[in-house]
C-alpha cells in the first residue's frame, strides 16, 4: 500500500520531506522512499495523499472512556480529528478492557486505547471512577486485578496516602513494566512515580499543589520537571477559548453532526465570542510554564481530559495554544502528540513516528501545518494499524436528516451540566 506524493513529517526531527511514498505491508511501514510515478508494482494499492501533509497518528494522552453516554461517538470523534491512540487516565476497569479489545479487533472503529482502570484512591473516593482503599489487603487485590487486566498505566488519586502511591508505583514498574503517576507533583516524585497527569488539577493535599491560586508556578516546580526525569501530561483547558478566534471550527460537521448535542451547543456557545483579555492572560501564563519546561529539557505530552472538553477538537486547540502562546515550533508542538507520548508510555518501538518498522498509524492533513498551523484541523483521513478511516465515512452516518436541528440549546446545555455534575470542572 503506497500513499504517493505530498509531504511527510516523520516525527523524528524538524525536516518535512516532499514527494515521497510510504510503503506499507500489512499493518507496518516497510519503506519511505522517493515517489515513484507510473502504475506501480503488481498487487499494490495506491492511496493518493498528494497536496496533503502526512504525519504520525496523533495521540490524546488524557481521556476517560464514557461509551455508556457517548456510544461510538467518542471513538469516532477521535478518529475524525486525526487521533489514532488515546490513553485512559481513569475509568471502569472491565469496560476499558472490553473497549481496548474491541478497538484492536476492529469490532468498533476507534483509536487504540491504553488503559488505566479505576483511580486508586484513599479511604474515600472523589469521583465514581475511583476505588477506595482503607486496608493493605484491599490495595493488594486492586493491584492484582491491574496485573490480570494488563494495565498500561497505574494512576493514584488525590486522597491516596504516600504508602499507597508507593505500592502502586512498585507494581506498575516491577510487575507491569508501565509508568505510574497522579495529580500530585509531591509526593509523586518522592515515591518514584513517573509523571503528573496535569500541571495542576483536583487536590486534597495542600502540599501537592504545583501552582498558586493565580496560576503562577515556582522554582521548585521547574526544578522537578527540568531535564525530563519527571514528566507531565498537560491538559490546557483554557485553550478552549481559542474557539472564539476561529468560529468556523464550530460549524464543522464533526461538531454539528458527530458530537452529541450537549457538546455541540457548548462548542457553539464558546465560539460566539473572542477570548477576553483575562482569558488570554491566563493562557499566556500557563503556556509560559510549558515553554520553560521545554526550554529546560523537560517532557510534555498533550492531553485533554475529554469528555470534560470537546472530544478530538480539544487536542487541536491545545496544540494551537502551544504553538501560538508558548512559541513552540510546529515540530516541537506536534511531538507532544506523537513521539513524546509514545516514548512516555513505552511503545516507541511501534508508534510515535512514521519510520520503517513502525505500525502504520498516520494522520493525513489537507494543507500544510508547517506553513499555517491552523491547517492541522483539516484532517482528511487517518490510518490506524494499516486501516484507512476517511473523515466523510466516519462523520457521514451521523449526519442529521434534512430539516432536522439540534433543538433547544438551553435544554442540551442543561443535559451537559447533568452529565458533568460530579466532575471537577462542571460549570
Amino acid at each position: 500500500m503506497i500513499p504517493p506524493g505530498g509531504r511527510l513529517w516523520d516525527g523524528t526531527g524538524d525536516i518535512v520531506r516532499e514527494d515521497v511514498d510510504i510503503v506499507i505491508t500489512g499493518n507496518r511501514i516497510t519503506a519511505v522512499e522517493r515517489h515513484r510515478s507510473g502504475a506501480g508494482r503488481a498487487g499494490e494499492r495506491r492511496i493518493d495523499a498528494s497536496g496533503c501533509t502526512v504525519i504520525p497518528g496523533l495521540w490524546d494522552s488524557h481521556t476517560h472512556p464514557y461509551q455508556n453516554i457517548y456510544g461510538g461517538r467518542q471513538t469516532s470523534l477521535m478518529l475524525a480529528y486525526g487521533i489514532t491512540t488515546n490513553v485512559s487516565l481513569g475509568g471502569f476497569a472491565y469496560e476499558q478492557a472490553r473497549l481496548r479489545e474491541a478497538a484492536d479487533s476492529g469490532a468498533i472503529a476507534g483509536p487504540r486505547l491504553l488503559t488505566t482502570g479505576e483511580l486508586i484512591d484513599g479511604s474515600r473516593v472523589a469521583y465514581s471512577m475511583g476505588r477506595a482503599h482503607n486496608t493493605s489487603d484491599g490495595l493488594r487485590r486492586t493491584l492484582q486485578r491491574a496485573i490480570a487486566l494488563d494495565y498500561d498505566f497505574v494512576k493514584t488519586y488525590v486522597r491516596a496516602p504516600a504508602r499507597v502511591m508507593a505500592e502502586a508505583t512498585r507494581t506498575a514498574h516491577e510487575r507491569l513494566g508501565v509508568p505510574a503517576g497522579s495529580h500530585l507533583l509531591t509526593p509523586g516524585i518522592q515515591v518514584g512515580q513517573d509523571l503528573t497527569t496535569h500541571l495542576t488539577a483536583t487536590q486534597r493535599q495542600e502540599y501537592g499543589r504545583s501552582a498558586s491560586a493565580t496560576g503562577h508556578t515556582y522554582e521548585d516546580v521547574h526544578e522537578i520537571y527540568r531535564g525530563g526525569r519527571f514528566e507531565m501530561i498537560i491538559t490546557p483547558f483554557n485553550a478552549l477559548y481559542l474557539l472564539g478566534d476561529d468560529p468556523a471550527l464550530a460549524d464543522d460537521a464533526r461538531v454539528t453532526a458527530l458530537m452529541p448535542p450537549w457538546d455541540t451547543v457548548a462548542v457553539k456557545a464558546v465560539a460566539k465570542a473572542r477570548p477576553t483579555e483575562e482569558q488570554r492572560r491566563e493562557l499566556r501564563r500557563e503556556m509560559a510554564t510549558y515553554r520553560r519546561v521545554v526550554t529546560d529539557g523537560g517532557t510534555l505530552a498533550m492531553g485533554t481530559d475529554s469528555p470534560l472538553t470537546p472530544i478530538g477538537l480539544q487536542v487541536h486547540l491545545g496544540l494551537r495554544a502551544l504553538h501560538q502562546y508558548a512559541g513552540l515550533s510546529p515540530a516541537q508542538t506536534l511531538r507532544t502528540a506523537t513521539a513524546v507520548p509514545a516514548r512516555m508510555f513505552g511503545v516507541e518501538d511501534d508508534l510515535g513516528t512514521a519510520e520503517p518498522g513502525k505500525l502504520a498509524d498516520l494522520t493525513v492533513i489537507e494543507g500544510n501545518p508547517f506553513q499555517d498551523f491552523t491547517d492541522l484541523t483539516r484532517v482528511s483521513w487517518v490510518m490506524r494499524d494499516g486501516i484507512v478511516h476517511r473523515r466523510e465515512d466516519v462523520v457521514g452516518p451521523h449526519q442529521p436528516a434534512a430539516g432536522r436541528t439540534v433543538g433547544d440549546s438551553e435544554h442540551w446545555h442543561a443535559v451537559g451540566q447533568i452529565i458533568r455534575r460530579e466532575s471537577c470542572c462542571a460549570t
Side-chain angles (χ1 to χ4, degrees):
M1 185 181 294
I2 304 178
R7 291 168 295 276
L8 169 67
W9 178 71
D10 66 10
T12 63
D14 297 336
I15 296 173
V16 179
R17 298 172 61 180
E18 301 278 347
D19 202 32
V20 297
D21 292 340
I22 305 171
V23 183
I24 297 165
T25 305
N27 66 342
R28 289 197 180 263
I29 299 170
T30 52
V32 178
E33 56 192 33
R34 187 165 184 79
H35 173 52
R36 289 185 279 109
S37 59
R41 302 185 184 103
E44 286 182 341
R45 174 189 171 204
R46 292 193 165 209
I47 304 175
D48 187 9
S50 57
C52 295
T53 303
V54 181
I55 64 175
L58 294 173
W59 284 59
D60 185 341
S61 296
H62 189 149
T63 69
H64 298 283
Y66 274 96
Q67 198 179 41
N68 60 320
I69 295 172
Y70 282 79
R73 291 176 186 262
Q74 186 166 14
T75 53
S76 294
L77 274 162
M78 285 188 274
L79 286 181
Y81 279 103
I83 297 162
T84 59
T85 302
N86 80 112
V87 185
S88 167
L89 291 189
F92 301 106
Y94 294 108
E95 173 68 354
Q96 288 186 85
R98 182 187 72 81
L99 290 172
R100 180 175 62 183
E101 293 173 5
D104 288 347
S105 69
I108 60 173
R112 67 186 74 249
L113 173 65
L114 276 60
T115 63
T116 300
E118 290 92 355
L119 309 169
I120 299 174
D121 220 332
S123 58
R124 292 183 295 144
V125 298
Y127 307 123
S128 61
M129 70 177 75
R131 194 172 178 91
H133 299 88
N134 201 30
T135 67
S136 297
D137 283 345
L139 178 61
R140 177 180 51 79
R141 287 192 293 270
T142 287
L143 295 175
Q144 284 176 337
R145 188 179 64 152
I147 295 167
L149 294 177
D150 196 25
Y151 284 13
D152 298 294
F153 182 73
V154 175
K155 182 177 179 180
T156 60
Y157 211 54
V158 295
R159 288 192 176 98
R163 61 175 177 79
V164 170
M165 297 173 70
E167 184 61 28
T169 300
R170 279 193 294 272
T171 298
H173 292 168
E174 297 173 11
R175 300 294 302 279
L176 285 162
V178 302
S182 69
H183 285 196
L184 303 178
L185 181 62
T186 182
I189 189 169
Q190 287 89 354
V191 300
Q193 291 189 335
D194 304 282
L195 57 85
T196 54
T197 58
H198 306 266
L199 171 62
T200 186
T202 307
Q203 303 281 333
R204 293 293 186 273
Q205 300 175 15
E206 286 299 320
Y207 56 80
R209 293 192 179 276
S210 54
S212 71
T214 56
H216 289 88
T217 51
Y218 300 107
E219 192 62 34
D220 56 346
V221 171
H222 292 281
E223 287 175 359
I224 290 173
Y225 288 119
R226 184 174 292 130
R229 183 174 70 85
F230 196 72
E231 301 176 325
M232 188 196 318
I233 298 171
I234 65 173
T235 52
F237 297 116
N238 289 331
L240 182 64
Y241 299 127
L242 296 181
L243 274 169
D245 288 335
D246 191 358
L249 291 173
D251 296 323
D252 188 292
R254 289 169 292 186
V255 173
T256 59
L258 189 49
M259 281 187 186
W262 56 86
D263 284 346
T264 300
V265 299
V267 167
K268 285 186 169 293
V270 176
K272 287 179 180 178
R274 297 291 293 271
T276 66
E277 186 50 44
E278 177 58 28
Q279 289 167 342
R280 292 189 194 278
R281 190 160 41 245
E282 290 175 0
L283 192 55
R284 282 193 291 267
R285 187 182 300 131
E286 181 180 1
M287 292 299 131
T289 295
Y290 300 149
R291 172 72 184 181
R292 183 174 175 188
V293 169
V294 171
T295 300
D296 290 345
T299 302
L300 306 177
M302 179 59 64
T304 64
D305 217 348
S306 69
L308 283 179
T309 56
I311 298 165
L313 176 58
Q314 185 73 14
V315 167
H316 290 268
L317 296 172
L319 293 172
R320 282 190 187 187
L322 275 183
H323 177 56
Q324 181 179 345
Y325 284 82
L328 301 191
S329 71
Q332 285 178 308
T333 302
L334 288 171
R335 274 194 286 272
T336 69
T338 53
V340 169
R343 185 199 52 73
M344 183 180 283
F345 288 97
V347 293
E348 68 271 28
D349 289 344
D350 291 318
L351 298 167
T353 60
E355 301 175 275
K358 298 294 184 75
L359 289 171
D361 277 27
L362 304 170
T363 297
V364 180
I365 309 298
E366 295 172 352
N368 186 352
F370 292 86
Q371 291 183 351
D372 181 353
F373 196 77
T374 63
D375 279 352
L376 189 67
T377 60
R378 298 169 56 196
V379 175
S380 178
W381 51 273
V382 299
M383 179 179 289
R384 189 245 145 148
D385 214 29
I387 298 172
V388 172
H389 302 272
R390 297 190 180 277
R391 185 174 67 188
E392 60 268 25
D393 294 334
V394 176
V395 177
H398 299 274
Q399 290 281 8
R404 199 172 160 200
T405 61
V406 167
D408 179 64
S409 61
E410 288 302 317
H411 165 79
W412 287 115
H413 178 69
V415 170
Q417 287 185 309
I418 292 170
I419 290 171
R420 295 178 175 87
R421 179 177 290 159
E422 69 163 19
S423 79
C424 67
C425 310
T427 56

